[in-house]
Amino acid sequence: RAPGLSIGYLEQQQGNSFTGTVRQAASEACSDIFRLEEELERISAAMAEAQGGELERISEKYSRMHEEFERRGGYGVNSRILGVLRGIGLTDEYFDRDTSVLSGGEKARLAIARLLLSGHDILLLDEPTNHLDLRAAQWLTDFLCSLKTTVLVVSHDRYLLDRLCGSIAEIYAGRMYSYKGNYTAFREKTQQQRRLQEKQYQEQQQEIKRQQEIIKQFRSFNREKSIRAAESREKALARMELVEAPETVKPMTLRFAPFVHTGSEVLALRNMTAQYPGKQLISPFSLTLLSASRVCIVGDNGCGKTTFLKTLMGQYSPDEGTFIFGENLFKGYFDQVQAGLDLNKTAIEEIWSHYPKMTQTQVRSALAAFLFKGDDVFKKISELSGGERARIALLNLMLGGYNLLLLDEPTNHLDIYMRESLTQALAAYTGTLLLVTHDRYLMQTLGCPIMYLEDGKATFYPSFAALQNRDAGKTQEQQKTEDTAKKQAYGKEQRKRRAEVRARLKKVESEIEELGAHIVELENEINDPEVLRDHLLLRDKCDELDDTRFHQQELYDEWEKLAEEQETFENEGE
């Protein structure tokens, strides 16, 4: 670790106890910049009273500190704080909210904001996108990619790893391996490497077995020549550089296969709303799902994604509109909090209760395919981790043979290998899929249409790429209207600023003239014989003259900047 290196660490589970408002807690990350600003103000006040060599010394110190203040972005620190808070999802209504009332997810966002504002040389981030919706995750990805800071990130967010990382360190079967390139390059390299190692290992084992058979045969001849030949081959075997057996982490075996095919139309929504009791979240919209189609539902936290799925499952009723399911339909629902699991049952009892016709051997084999082995099958659901519960819920879905899957954030608690297994299984699924997710890599892989929920409205995009570039998909008329509105707003701001500059110029010119007259007056007083004889009065007059000249020079500097700004306005007008 280099001396003086500053390292910032984001824990996966936040234990921070913030104080004050959200704005104040975020501003604490820039406290050294604010202290620098206060010191500059103090030195500036001292300069007004100093003179001679003392003034020169203080001026040099002020200049050095001012350069440091500018280098660290001191003048833009407040706008930077607000920009990071908004980007991470803590928008304006949060700024004056006390941190004690924030949820766990909101506190995690605040911790990320503070870390990004801290200016550390190295950032250590443990699952930074865990509590972020799509918009905030996209903003954070773009922000981290723009930083010149070194970032070491632990993440299951495959899209983040693809965009951000230039190398991947994988902990696999108890060892760490390092690879150049992003996540996609890492996957290709590891798969090739493990296939090659497996091939080399098998070929070498076959060769070793062949040589051992030959040695055995030579020894069976029991002749001096054949025994020497056997010993020679044994020495060659001993010198052979052995290829290590490839260590493997068995992936979760996952395959969704519908038992029954549906008709051509699976689901028809007509002017339907989605509402939480007492609050409408999505205004009326229509949607038709055909057999084997896929749709991803995306939007900010709290926009109504889960409520929409629960409405389709009959847990809520739409305030307006209707929805009708097609014939021969068997729905499978994945609840992101696994509320349907019985916490008092063991893993094997939970599966068996849904599929009583299966034998114990069949249930245990199914659980083994989902990485529950040995005594793990007798663990109570209440004792399982979030990832283990998710695997039980996915196994229930796989065994059900459903032809319509409604999945609410299925990758949330899965590690990266399990996410890969689920992604491949969903890509191969021949039924109809309605999927709520923030997993950008999964959306990208499926390549299906996106239903984006924003401001209470459902907007449809043909793909995840189209959603990312939705501004580019506006019609020329929409873009023209927006451009006109922006120009009008800009013009209004410019006219206001032009009037402010003109008024300030006039006032500065007047103040410069007044100070000039006062300087002449002071110079005449200093040359008065009576003042020259009174050294105390003379010192006061000289100090006043120095202050007046200093203030006049400040006004001259301001006048030059204002004059340049006014000239720019005039050129733009021409």
Side-chain angles (χ1 to χ4, degrees):
R1 174 169 169 172
L5 194 70
S6 173
I7 299 179
Y9 173 44
L10 178 76
E11 296 182 67
Q12 184 178 161
Q13 301 297 332
Q14 293 301 320
N16 296 328
S17 53
F18 305 113
T19 57
T21 65
V22 168
R23 189 200 305 257
Q24 290 168 341
S27 298
E28 286 175 5
C30 305
S31 57
D32 51 344
I33 296 178
F34 289 119
R35 281 195 296 270
L36 192 58
E37 186 177 32
E38 291 172 2
E39 183 67 9
L40 284 171
E41 291 174 359
R42 189 189 66 76
I43 294 174
S44 179
M47 286 171 62
E49 299 178 0
Q51 57 184 348
E54 179 68 7
L55 176 61
E56 185 177 346
R57 185 186 66 79
I58 295 177
S59 295
E60 288 179 0
K61 182 179 180 181
Y62 181 89
S63 179
R64 288 195 305 272
M65 292 186 70
H66 188 262
E67 285 180 9
E68 173 69 8
F69 184 72
E70 284 190 322
R71 185 186 67 79
R72 300 186 62 178
Y75 287 114
V77 64
N78 286 304
S79 61
R80 192 161 66 251
I81 290 169
L82 300 186
V84 168
L85 285 174
R86 287 171 182 143
I88 210 66
L90 296 173
T91 46
D92 295 27
E93 64 268 21
Y94 285 93
F95 292 170
D96 297 318
R97 191 174 297 178
D98 196 273
T99 54
S100 62
V101 301
L102 297 180
S103 67
E106 289 163 350
K107 285 182 178 179
R109 291 177 182 229
L110 180 55
I112 294 173
R114 283 164 57 100
L115 192 65
L116 297 179
L117 290 165
S118 61
H120 291 296
D121 302 309
I122 293 180
L123 296 180
L124 308 179
L125 309 178
D126 193 356
E127 298 289 0
T129 58
N130 261 9
H131 297 281
L132 303 184
D133 54 33
L134 179 66
R135 190 197 305 268
Q138 194 65 39
W139 178 88
L140 179 62
T141 302
D142 293 339
F143 189 92
L144 291 174
C145 288
S146 71
L147 285 180
K148 295 181 180 177
T149 306
T150 297
V151 178
L152 184 62
V153 58
V154 171
S155 182
H156 295 149
D157 187 335
R158 297 164 291 175
Y159 186 90
L160 174 70
L161 297 178
D162 248 0
R163 283 280 313 279
L164 178 65
C165 298
S167 61
I168 303 288
E170 180 197 29
I171 300 173
Y172 184 83
R175 295 186 182 183
M176 181 173 277
Y177 303 87
S178 183
Y179 303 86
K180 289 291 183 185
N182 64 4
Y183 176 74
T184 298
F186 149 77
R187 281 181 64 218
E188 293 172 356
K189 288 177 184 176
T190 52
Q191 288 170 2
Q192 290 172 1
Q193 181 177 306
R194 283 163 192 158
R195 280 197 298 266
L196 177 62
Q197 186 179 357
E198 176 67 29
K199 181 183 177 185
Q200 291 174 338
Y201 174 76
Q202 293 297 341
E203 288 177 349
Q204 188 180 64
Q205 289 301 307
Q206 289 175 4
E207 177 61 17
I208 290 172
K209 188 175 180 180
R210 190 178 74 85
Q211 291 296 334
Q212 287 172 340
E213 289 294 328
I214 294 173
I215 291 168
K216 183 179 178 182
Q217 189 70 32
F218 278 163
R219 286 196 175 278
S220 69
F221 295 153
N222 200 24
R223 297 174 186 167
E224 185 178 349
K225 186 176 180 181
S226 63
I227 289 174
R228 283 201 303 270
E231 289 173 347
S232 175
R233 286 179 180 263
E234 284 174 341
K235 289 177 182 177
L237 272 182
R239 291 194 300 269
M240 181 182 288
E241 187 175 341
L242 297 177
V243 176
E244 287 189 33
E247 297 183 81
T248 58
V249 175
K250 188 176 181 181
M252 181 171 63
T253 306
L254 186 58
R255 180 174 177 267
F256 298 110
F259 293 159
V260 178
H261 291 293
T262 65
S264 60
E265 193 170 287
V266 173
L267 174 64
L269 290 83
R270 297 293 177 262
N271 297 316
M272 199 190 91
T273 62
Q275 66 165 26
Y276 194 73
K279 182 182 179 183
Q280 187 181 95
L281 298 173
I282 310 172
S283 55
F285 71 101
S286 298
L287 170 67
T288 299
L289 274 185
L290 299 179
S291 177
S293 62
R294 304 167 180 168
V295 173
C296 287
I297 306 170
V298 181
D300 295 346
N301 291 335
C303 69
K305 304 183 298 294
T306 296
T307 302
F308 172 60
L309 288 192
K310 287 185 174 181
T311 301
L312 295 180
M313 292 301 297
Q315 296 181 28
Y316 297 132
S317 299
D319 188 46
E320 297 178 34
T322 60
F323 64 92
I324 302 172
F325 288 110
E327 297 178 355
N328 298 324
L329 201 65
F330 297 93
K331 303 187 294 294
Y333 176 52
F334 181 92
D335 182 351
Q336 64 171 302
V337 296
Q338 283 86 54
L341 299 180
D342 188 337
L343 300 180
N344 294 315
K345 288 180 179 176
T346 62
I348 191 169
E349 288 170 346
E350 174 66 27
I351 300 300
W352 223 340
S353 66
H354 286 86
Y355 305 100
K357 293 183 179 180
M358 294 177 67
T359 66
Q360 183 179 26
T361 302
Q362 288 173 327
V363 175
R364 294 199 66 156
S365 296
L367 283 165
F370 276 62
L371 311 183
F372 289 94
K373 298 179 180 179
D375 291 339
D376 289 345
V377 301
F378 301 115
K379 282 184 180 179
K380 281 195 172 185
I381 302 296
S382 60
E383 299 171 354
L384 301 181
S385 67
E388 289 170 330
R389 293 185 191 186
R391 280 164 24 216
I392 292 290
L394 287 171
L395 177 54
N396 269 328
L397 284 181
M398 188 185 82
L399 294 173
Y402 300 106
N403 49 28
L404 172 61
L405 292 180
L406 296 91
L407 309 182
D408 192 1
E409 299 287 2
T411 62
N412 261 9
H413 297 286
L414 303 183
D415 65 34
I416 207 157
Y417 304 109
M418 294 174 187
R419 290 186 184 203
E420 283 293 342
S421 296
L422 179 58
T423 298
Q424 293 167 13
L426 292 178
Y429 178 54
T430 58
T432 306
L433 177 64
L434 204 52
L435 171 69
V436 169
T437 186
H438 291 148
D439 189 326
R440 295 168 289 176
Y441 196 90
L442 176 58
M443 284 186 267
Q444 198 173 49
T445 301
L446 293 178
C448 59
I450 305 292
M451 185 174 101
Y452 189 69
L453 303 181
E454 184 177 31
D455 299 328
K457 296 179 181 178
T459 307
F460 291 87
Y461 298 91
S463 66
F464 176 58
L467 171 63
Q468 288 182 298
N469 301 315
R470 58 185 181 274
D471 289 337
K474 294 172 182 171
T475 65
Q476 291 184 350
E477 192 61 37
Q478 286 175 315
Q479 195 64 55
K480 185 178 178 181
T481 302
E482 286 191 9
D483 290 344
T484 301
K486 288 177 182 177
K487 286 178 182 177
Q488 288 175 346
Y490 177 74
K492 186 177 179 181
E493 290 177 4
Q494 291 295 84
R495 287 192 296 275
K496 181 182 176 183
R497 180 58 186 162
R498 188 183 292 116
E500 290 173 351
V501 169
R502 191 181 298 115
R504 181 60 185 161
L505 261 176
K506 190 174 181 181
K507 187 176 181 181
V508 168
E509 288 170 355
S510 176
E511 289 179 4
I512 288 174
E513 288 181 8
E514 290 175 6
L515 289 177
H518 189 49
I519 288 171
V520 172
E521 183 183 334
L522 287 171
E523 287 174 342
N524 290 334
E525 290 177 1
I526 288 171
N527 291 323
D528 187 294
E530 290 186 11
V531 175
L532 289 170
R533 284 194 293 272
D534 187 341
H535 71 278
L536 291 176
L537 180 59
L538 177 61
R539 189 187 67 182
D540 290 342
K541 292 293 181 183
C542 287
D543 287 347
E544 187 178 356
L545 179 61
D546 286 341
D547 289 344
T548 306
R549 283 174 174 165
F550 183 79
H551 185 39
Q552 187 186 48
Q553 185 58 50
E554 285 184 326
L555 289 173
Y556 273 125
D557 293 341
E558 184 182 357
W559 183 90
E560 286 180 4
K561 292 178 181 177
L562 290 168
E564 288 177 5
E565 194 171 354
Q566 186 179 49
E567 185 179 355
T568 302
F569 287 140
E570 290 171 354
N571 291 337
E572 286 180 354
E574 292 172 4

